[in-house]
mmCIF file of all heavy atoms in Angstrom:
data_model
loop_
_atom_site.group_PDB
_atom_site.id
_atom_site.type_symbol
_atom_site.label_atom_id
_atom_site.label_comp_id
_atom_site.label_asym_id
_atom_site.label_seq_id
_atom_site.Cartn_x
_atom_site.Cartn_y
_atom_site.Cartn_z
ATOM 1 N N VAL O 7 108.505 92.425 97.379
ATOM 2 C CA VAL O 7 107.173 93.039 97.445
ATOM 3 C C VAL O 7 106.787 93.278 98.905
ATOM 4 O O VAL O 7 106.323 94.344 99.291
ATOM 5 C CB VAL O 7 106.124 92.145 96.740
ATOM 6 C CG1 VAL O 7 104.715 92.618 97.037
ATOM 7 C CG2 VAL O 7 106.376 92.120 95.247
ATOM 8 N N LEU O 8 107.033 92.265 99.727
ATOM 9 C CA LEU O 8 106.686 92.387 101.146
ATOM 10 C C LEU O 8 107.487 93.509 101.821
ATOM 11 O O LEU O 8 106.946 94.269 102.625
ATOM 12 C CB LEU O 8 106.989 91.077 101.878
ATOM 13 C CG LEU O 8 105.874 90.057 101.964
ATOM 14 C CD1 LEU O 8 105.552 89.443 100.611
ATOM 15 C CD2 LEU O 8 106.255 88.947 102.928
ATOM 16 N N LEU O 9 108.775 93.583 101.464
ATOM 17 C CA LEU O 9 109.634 94.566 102.121
ATOM 18 C C LEU O 9 109.418 95.976 101.582
ATOM 19 O O LEU O 9 109.590 96.958 102.308
ATOM 20 C CB LEU O 9 111.117 94.173 101.960
ATOM 21 C CG LEU O 9 111.526 92.838 102.591
ATOM 22 C CD1 LEU O 9 113.001 92.545 102.341
ATOM 23 C CD2 LEU O 9 111.259 92.824 104.095
ATOM 24 N N ARG O 11 106.524 97.294 100.380
ATOM 25 C CA ARG O 11 105.221 97.904 100.654
ATOM 26 C C ARG O 11 105.322 98.933 101.775
ATOM 27 O O ARG O 11 105.895 98.666 102.809
ATOM 28 C CB ARG O 11 104.193 96.834 101.059
ATOM 29 C CG ARG O 11 102.784 97.399 101.288
ATOM 30 C CD ARG O 11 102.027 96.625 102.353
ATOM 31 N NE ARG O 11 102.773 96.516 103.585
ATOM 32 C CZ ARG O 11 102.874 97.494 104.505
ATOM 33 N NH1 ARG O 11 102.259 98.636 104.344
ATOM 34 N NH2 ARG O 11 103.601 97.312 105.592
ATOM 35 N N ARG O 12 104.790 100.111 101.535
ATOM 36 C CA ARG O 12 104.725 101.144 102.575
ATOM 37 C C ARG O 12 103.284 101.624 102.689
ATOM 38 O O ARG O 12 102.501 101.511 101.747
ATOM 39 C CB ARG O 12 105.584 102.375 102.218
ATOM 40 C CG ARG O 12 107.096 102.160 102.145
ATOM 41 C CD ARG O 12 107.781 102.244 103.505
ATOM 42 N NE ARG O 12 107.458 101.146 104.374
ATOM 43 C CZ ARG O 12 107.966 99.891 104.265
ATOM 44 N NH1 ARG O 12 108.827 99.597 103.365
ATOM 45 N NH2 ARG O 12 107.599 98.954 105.107
ATOM 46 N N SER O 13 102.935 102.187 103.813
ATOM 47 C CA SER O 13 101.628 102.827 103.937
ATOM 48 C C SER O 13 101.695 104.148 103.173
ATOM 49 O O SER O 13 102.552 104.982 103.451
ATOM 50 C CB SER O 13 101.317 103.093 105.405
ATOM 51 O OG SER O 13 101.128 101.863 106.066
ATOM 52 N N ILE O 30 93.678 92.505 92.003
ATOM 53 C CA ILE O 30 94.012 92.730 93.420
ATOM 54 C C ILE O 30 92.970 92.051 94.320
ATOM 55 O O ILE O 30 93.299 91.433 95.333
ATOM 56 C CB ILE O 30 94.092 94.252 93.695
ATOM 57 C CG1 ILE O 30 95.345 94.816 93.020
ATOM 58 C CG2 ILE O 30 94.087 94.550 95.180
ATOM 59 C CD1 ILE O 30 95.416 96.313 93.041
ATOM 60 N N ALA O 33 93.486 88.381 94.539
ATOM 61 C CA ALA O 33 94.540 88.046 95.510
ATOM 62 C C ALA O 33 93.970 88.088 96.931
ATOM 63 O O ALA O 33 94.260 87.214 97.759
ATOM 64 C CB ALA O 33 95.709 89.015 95.370
ATOM 65 N N ALA O 34 93.127 89.074 97.195
ATOM 66 C CA ALA O 34 92.511 89.188 98.527
ATOM 67 C C ALA O 34 91.668 87.948 98.820
ATOM 68 O O ALA O 34 91.706 87.370 99.915
ATOM 69 C CB ALA O 34 91.650 90.448 98.595
ATOM 70 N N GLN O 35 90.948 87.522 97.800
ATOM 71 C CA GLN O 35 90.031 86.384 97.913
ATOM 72 C C GLN O 35 90.774 85.075 98.199
ATOM 73 O O GLN O 35 90.187 84.127 98.698
ATOM 74 C CB GLN O 35 89.332 86.272 96.564
ATOM 75 C CG GLN O 35 87.992 85.679 96.597
ATOM 76 C CD GLN O 35 87.528 85.428 95.176
ATOM 77 O OE1 GLN O 35 88.269 85.605 94.221
ATOM 78 N NE2 GLN O 35 86.299 85.002 95.056
ATOM 79 N N TYR O 36 92.043 85.038 97.829
ATOM 80 C CA TYR O 36 92.821 83.826 98.048
ATOM 81 C C TYR O 36 93.531 83.808 99.398
ATOM 82 O O TYR O 36 94.346 82.927 99.668
ATOM 83 C CB TYR O 36 93.792 83.584 96.874
ATOM 84 C CG TYR O 36 93.105 82.761 95.804
ATOM 85 C CD1 TYR O 36 92.188 83.341 94.942
ATOM 86 C CD2 TYR O 36 93.319 81.397 95.726
ATOM 87 C CE1 TYR O 36 91.508 82.580 94.001
ATOM 88 C CE2 TYR O 36 92.651 80.625 94.789
ATOM 89 C CZ TYR O 36 91.743 81.231 93.932
ATOM 90 O OH TYR O 36 91.067 80.461 93.012
ATOM 91 N N ALA O 37 93.193 84.730 100.260
ATOM 92 C CA ALA O 37 93.718 84.713 101.631
ATOM 93 C C ALA O 37 93.153 83.485 102.349
ATOM 94 O O ALA O 37 92.066 83.006 102.012
ATOM 95 C CB ALA O 37 93.292 85.983 102.358
ATOM 96 N N PRO O 38 93.880 82.988 103.350
ATOM 97 C CA PRO O 38 93.299 81.895 104.135
ATOM 98 C C PRO O 38 92.138 82.426 104.972
ATOM 99 O O PRO O 38 92.119 83.597 105.343
ATOM 100 C CB PRO O 38 94.473 81.472 105.045
ATOM 101 C CG PRO O 38 95.364 82.671 105.122
ATOM 102 C CD PRO O 38 95.193 83.423 103.836
ATOM 103 N N TRP O 46 84.205 87.780 103.729
ATOM 104 C CA TRP O 46 84.416 89.171 103.305
ATOM 105 C C TRP O 46 83.622 89.569 102.072
ATOM 106 O O TRP O 46 83.198 88.760 101.274
ATOM 107 C CB TRP O 46 85.912 89.379 103.020
ATOM 108 C CG TRP O 46 86.518 88.273 102.210
ATOM 109 C CD1 TRP O 46 86.240 87.960 100.903
ATOM 110 C CD2 TRP O 46 87.464 87.297 102.646
ATOM 111 N NE1 TRP O 46 86.970 86.868 100.511
ATOM 112 C CE2 TRP O 46 87.726 86.435 101.544
ATOM 113 C CE3 TRP O 46 88.132 87.067 103.852
ATOM 114 C CZ2 TRP O 46 88.621 85.367 101.619
ATOM 115 C CZ3 TRP O 46 89.019 86.005 103.905
ATOM 116 C CH2 TRP O 46 89.265 85.170 102.809
ATOM 117 N N PHE O 48 83.738 93.311 99.343
ATOM 118 C CA PHE O 48 84.538 94.507 99.048
ATOM 119 C C PHE O 48 83.631 95.576 98.445
ATOM 120 O O PHE O 48 82.781 95.260 97.611
ATOM 121 C CB PHE O 48 85.658 94.171 98.057
ATOM 122 C CG PHE O 48 86.482 92.977 98.490
ATOM 123 C CD1 PHE O 48 86.292 91.733 97.901
ATOM 124 C CD2 PHE O 48 87.429 93.099 99.495
ATOM 125 C CE1 PHE O 48 87.034 90.621 98.296
ATOM 126 C CE2 PHE O 48 88.182 91.993 99.906
ATOM 127 C CZ PHE O 48 87.977 90.756 99.307
ATOM 128 N N ILE O 79 86.900 96.870 103.014
ATOM 129 C CA ILE O 79 86.899 95.417 103.195
ATOM 130 C C ILE O 79 85.990 95.159 104.389
ATOM 131 O O ILE O 79 86.260 95.648 105.504
ATOM 132 C CB ILE O 79 88.309 94.866 103.467
ATOM 133 C CG1 ILE O 79 89.230 95.143 102.269
ATOM 134 C CG2 ILE O 79 88.268 93.353 103.732
ATOM 135 C CD1 ILE O 79 90.199 96.242 102.489
ATOM 136 N N LEU O 90 87.171 88.852 112.101
ATOM 137 C CA LEU O 90 88.207 89.888 112.145
ATOM 138 C C LEU O 90 89.533 89.359 111.573
ATOM 139 O O LEU O 90 90.200 90.023 110.778
ATOM 140 C CB LEU O 90 88.401 90.400 113.580
ATOM 141 C CG LEU O 90 89.488 91.447 113.776
ATOM 142 C CD1 LEU O 90 89.278 92.673 112.884
ATOM 143 C CD2 LEU O 90 89.550 91.900 115.243
ATOM 144 N N ILE O 91 89.869 88.121 111.978
ATOM 145 C CA ILE O 91 91.121 87.523 111.497
ATOM 146 C C ILE O 91 91.019 87.246 109.997
ATOM 147 O O ILE O 91 91.924 87.567 109.216
ATOM 148 C CB ILE O 91 91.438 86.234 112.285
ATOM 149 C CG1 ILE O 91 91.586 86.565 113.773
ATOM 150 C CG2 ILE O 91 92.692 85.566 111.743
ATOM 151 C CD1 ILE O 91 91.706 85.350 114.675
ATOM 152 N N ASP O 92 89.906 86.650 109.595
ATOM 153 C CA ASP O 92 89.707 86.345 108.168
ATOM 154 C C ASP O 92 89.791 87.626 107.328
ATOM 155 O O ASP O 92 90.487 87.682 106.314
ATOM 156 C CB ASP O 92 88.327 85.700 107.948
ATOM 157 C CG ASP O 92 88.196 84.333 108.623
ATOM 158 O OD1 ASP O 92 89.223 83.711 108.904
ATOM 159 O OD2 ASP O 92 87.045 83.919 108.872
ATOM 160 N N GLY O 93 89.071 88.621 107.757
ATOM 161 C CA GLY O 93 89.038 89.889 107.006
ATOM 162 C C GLY O 93 90.395 90.573 106.988
ATOM 163 O O GLY O 93 90.772 91.208 105.994
ATOM 164 N N SER O 94 91.157 90.417 108.073
ATOM 165 C CA SER O 94 92.491 91.038 108.134
ATOM 166 C C SER O 94 93.445 90.329 107.174
ATOM 167 O O SER O 94 94.278 90.976 106.524
ATOM 168 C CB SER O 94 93.044 90.979 109.560
ATOM 169 O OG SER O 94 92.218 91.734 110.420
ATOM 170 N N ALA O 95 93.312 89.002 107.081
ATOM 171 C CA ALA O 95 94.170 88.248 106.149
ATOM 172 C C ALA O 95 93.884 88.700 104.712
ATOM 173 O O ALA O 95 94.814 88.916 103.918
ATOM 174 C CB ALA O 95 93.925 86.751 106.311
ATOM 175 N N ALA O 96 92.612 88.870 104.395
ATOM 176 C CA ALA O 96 92.242 89.320 103.042
ATOM 177 C C ALA O 96 92.797 90.729 102.779
ATOM 178 O O ALA O 96 93.285 91.030 101.686
ATOM 179 C CB ALA O 96 90.722 89.307 102.880
ATOM 180 N N THR O 97 92.734 91.557 103.804
ATOM 181 C CA THR O 97 93.225 92.933 103.653
ATOM 182 C C THR O 97 94.718 92.951 103.367
ATOM 183 O O THR O 97 95.190 93.670 102.474
ATOM 184 C CB THR O 97 92.930 93.748 104.937
ATOM 185 O OG1 THR O 97 91.519 93.709 105.183
ATOM 186 C CG2 THR O 97 93.377 95.189 104.794
ATOM 187 N N GLU O 98 95.470 92.160 104.112
ATOM 188 C CA GLU O 98 96.921 92.135 103.897
ATOM 189 C C GLU O 98 97.244 91.625 102.487
ATOM 190 O O GLU O 98 98.109 92.196 101.797
ATOM 191 C CB GLU O 98 97.593 91.265 104.973
ATOM 192 C CG GLU O 98 99.094 91.089 104.820
ATOM 193 C CD GLU O 98 99.926 92.352 105.099
ATOM 194 O OE1 GLU O 98 99.332 93.411 105.369
ATOM 195 O OE2 GLU O 98 101.161 92.276 105.023
ATOM 196 N N ASN O 99 96.543 90.579 102.053
ATOM 197 C CA ASN O 99 96.757 90.085 100.676
ATOM 198 C C ASN O 99 96.493 91.197 99.658
ATOM 199 O O ASN O 99 97.243 91.391 98.706
ATOM 200 C CB ASN O 99 95.803 88.922 100.368
ATOM 201 C CG ASN O 99 96.442 87.578 100.616
ATOM 202 O OD1 ASN O 99 97.366 87.477 101.413
ATOM 203 N ND2 ASN O 99 95.944 86.549 99.952
ATOM 204 N N LEU O 100 95.402 91.909 99.885
ATOM 205 C CA LEU O 100 95.024 92.996 98.970
ATOM 206 C C LEU O 100 96.130 94.053 98.902
ATOM 207 O O LEU O 100 96.526 94.513 97.830
ATOM 208 C CB LEU O 100 93.700 93.603 99.460
ATOM 209 C CG LEU O 100 93.030 94.684 98.636
ATOM 210 C CD1 LEU O 100 91.525 94.655 98.884
ATOM 211 C CD2 LEU O 100 93.561 96.070 98.926
ATOM 212 N N MET O 101 96.663 94.406 100.073
ATOM 213 C CA MET O 101 97.682 95.454 100.122
ATOM 214 C C MET O 101 98.975 95.007 99.428
ATOM 215 O O MET O 101 99.623 95.796 98.739
ATOM 216 C CB MET O 101 97.949 95.843 101.580
ATOM 217 C CG MET O 101 96.737 96.542 102.207
ATOM 218 S SD MET O 101 96.872 96.737 103.992
ATOM 219 C CE MET O 101 97.924 98.135 104.096
ATOM 220 N N LEU O 102 99.319 93.747 99.596
ATOM 221 C CA LEU O 102 100.546 93.239 98.958
ATOM 222 C C LEU O 102 100.354 93.125 97.440
ATOM 223 O O LEU O 102 101.267 93.449 96.667
ATOM 224 C CB LEU O 102 100.945 91.888 99.564
ATOM 225 C CG LEU O 102 101.418 91.971 101.021
ATOM 226 C CD1 LEU O 102 101.598 90.581 101.611
ATOM 227 C CD2 LEU O 102 102.713 92.772 101.141
ATOM 228 N N ALA O 103 99.178 92.692 97.026
ATOM 229 C CA ALA O 103 98.907 92.605 95.583
ATOM 230 C C ALA O 103 98.953 94.002 94.964
ATOM 231 O O ALA O 103 99.476 94.188 93.861
ATOM 232 C CB ALA O 103 97.548 91.950 95.343
ATOM 233 N N ALA O 104 98.420 94.978 95.675
ATOM 234 C CA ALA O 104 98.462 96.364 95.176
ATOM 235 C C ALA O 104 99.909 96.794 94.953
ATOM 236 O O ALA O 104 100.248 97.401 93.929
ATOM 237 C CB ALA O 104 97.762 97.300 96.166
ATOM 238 N N GLU O 105 100.768 96.459 95.897
ATOM 239 C CA GLU O 105 102.198 96.788 95.770
ATOM 240 C C GLU O 105 102.790 96.169 94.494
ATOM 241 O O GLU O 105 103.597 96.790 93.807
ATOM 242 C CB GLU O 105 102.946 96.301 97.023
ATOM 243 C CG GLU O 105 104.456 96.462 96.975
ATOM 244 C CD GLU O 105 104.924 97.916 96.922
ATOM 245 O OE1 GLU O 105 104.258 98.762 97.543
ATOM 246 O OE2 GLU O 105 105.943 98.189 96.267
ATOM 247 N N CYS O 106 102.359 94.952 94.173
ATOM 248 C CA CYS O 106 102.847 94.281 92.948
ATOM 249 C C CYS O 106 102.545 95.110 91.704
ATOM 250 O O CYS O 106 103.252 95.032 90.714
ATOM 251 C CB CYS O 106 102.188 92.914 92.776
ATOM 252 S SG CYS O 106 102.702 91.720 94.000
ATOM 253 N N THR O 111 98.506 101.681 99.255
ATOM 254 C CA THR O 111 97.347 101.456 100.129
ATOM 255 C C THR O 111 97.718 101.934 101.529
ATOM 256 O O THR O 111 98.896 102.191 101.812
ATOM 257 C CB THR O 111 97.010 99.952 100.236
ATOM 258 O OG1 THR O 111 98.181 99.260 100.691
ATOM 259 C CG2 THR O 111 96.555 99.364 98.914
ATOM 260 N N CYS O 112 96.745 102.009 102.395
ATOM 261 C CA CYS O 112 97.032 102.277 103.813
ATOM 262 C C CYS O 112 95.887 101.733 104.657
ATOM 263 O O CYS O 112 94.711 102.044 104.395
ATOM 264 C CB CYS O 112 97.193 103.774 104.066
ATOM 265 S SG CYS O 112 97.703 104.150 105.757
ATOM 266 N N TRP O 113 96.217 100.920 105.615
ATOM 267 C CA TRP O 113 95.214 100.412 106.565
ATOM 268 C C TRP O 113 94.780 101.608 107.413
ATOM 269 O O TRP O 113 95.627 102.292 108.000
ATOM 270 C CB TRP O 113 95.861 99.358 107.444
ATOM 271 C CG TRP O 113 94.900 98.464 108.148
ATOM 272 C CD1 TRP O 113 93.850 98.844 108.940
ATOM 273 C CD2 TRP O 113 94.909 97.037 108.150
ATOM 274 N NE1 TRP O 113 93.206 97.735 109.421
ATOM 275 C CE2 TRP O 113 93.830 96.613 108.961
ATOM 276 C CE3 TRP O 113 95.713 96.068 107.558
ATOM 277 C CZ2 TRP O 113 93.554 95.270 109.192
ATOM 278 C CZ3 TRP O 113 95.430 94.744 107.785
ATOM 279 C CH2 TRP O 113 94.363 94.344 108.587
ATOM 280 N N ILE O 135 86.499 96.061 108.187
ATOM 281 C CA ILE O 135 87.862 95.751 108.644
ATOM 282 C C ILE O 135 88.723 96.994 108.484
ATOM 283 O O ILE O 135 89.398 97.434 109.418
ATOM 284 C CB ILE O 135 88.474 94.584 107.824
ATOM 285 C CG1 ILE O 135 87.588 93.348 107.897
ATOM 286 C CG2 ILE O 135 89.903 94.290 108.288
ATOM 287 C CD1 ILE O 135 87.427 92.733 109.266
ATOM 288 N N THR O 136 88.691 97.547 107.301
ATOM 289 C CA THR O 136 89.325 98.845 107.059
ATOM 290 C C THR O 136 88.817 99.398 105.742
ATOM 291 O O THR O 136 88.179 98.668 104.955
ATOM 292 C CB THR O 136 90.867 98.763 107.030
ATOM 293 O OG1 THR O 136 91.410 100.096 107.040
ATOM 294 C CG2 THR O 136 91.394 98.040 105.807
ATOM 295 N N THR O 138 90.723 101.154 102.742
ATOM 296 C CA THR O 138 92.043 101.599 102.294
ATOM 297 C C THR O 138 91.927 102.449 101.037
ATOM 298 O O THR O 138 91.147 102.116 100.135
ATOM 299 C CB THR O 138 92.994 100.406 102.011
ATOM 300 O OG1 THR O 138 94.205 100.922 101.424
ATOM 301 C CG2 THR O 138 92.400 99.386 101.062
ATOM 302 N N ARG O 152 111.932 98.892 112.003
ATOM 303 C CA ARG O 152 111.414 97.657 112.579
ATOM 304 C C ARG O 152 112.284 97.267 113.770
ATOM 305 O O ARG O 152 113.462 97.631 113.842
ATOM 306 C CB ARG O 152 111.467 96.552 111.534
ATOM 307 C CG ARG O 152 110.187 96.290 110.730
ATOM 308 C CD ARG O 152 109.307 97.450 110.490
ATOM 309 N NE ARG O 152 108.087 97.082 109.755
ATOM 310 C CZ ARG O 152 107.287 97.945 109.149
ATOM 311 N NH1 ARG O 152 107.529 99.240 109.180
ATOM 312 N NH2 ARG O 152 106.198 97.533 108.533
#
Side-chain angles (χ1 to χ4, degrees):
V7 169
L8 269 69
L9 298 179
R11 183 212 53 79
R12 295 276 69 76
S13 292
I30 289 171
Q35 208 189 6
Y36 271 77
W46 45 67
F48 309 103
I79 298 105
L90 178 56
I91 300 172
D92 295 339
S94 297
T97 303
E98 177 70 357
N99 265 25
L100 184 153
M101 292 169 80
L102 292 172
E105 175 65 35
C106 291
T111 56
C112 186
W113 198 307
I135 304 296
T136 191
T138 173
R152 264 31 182 196

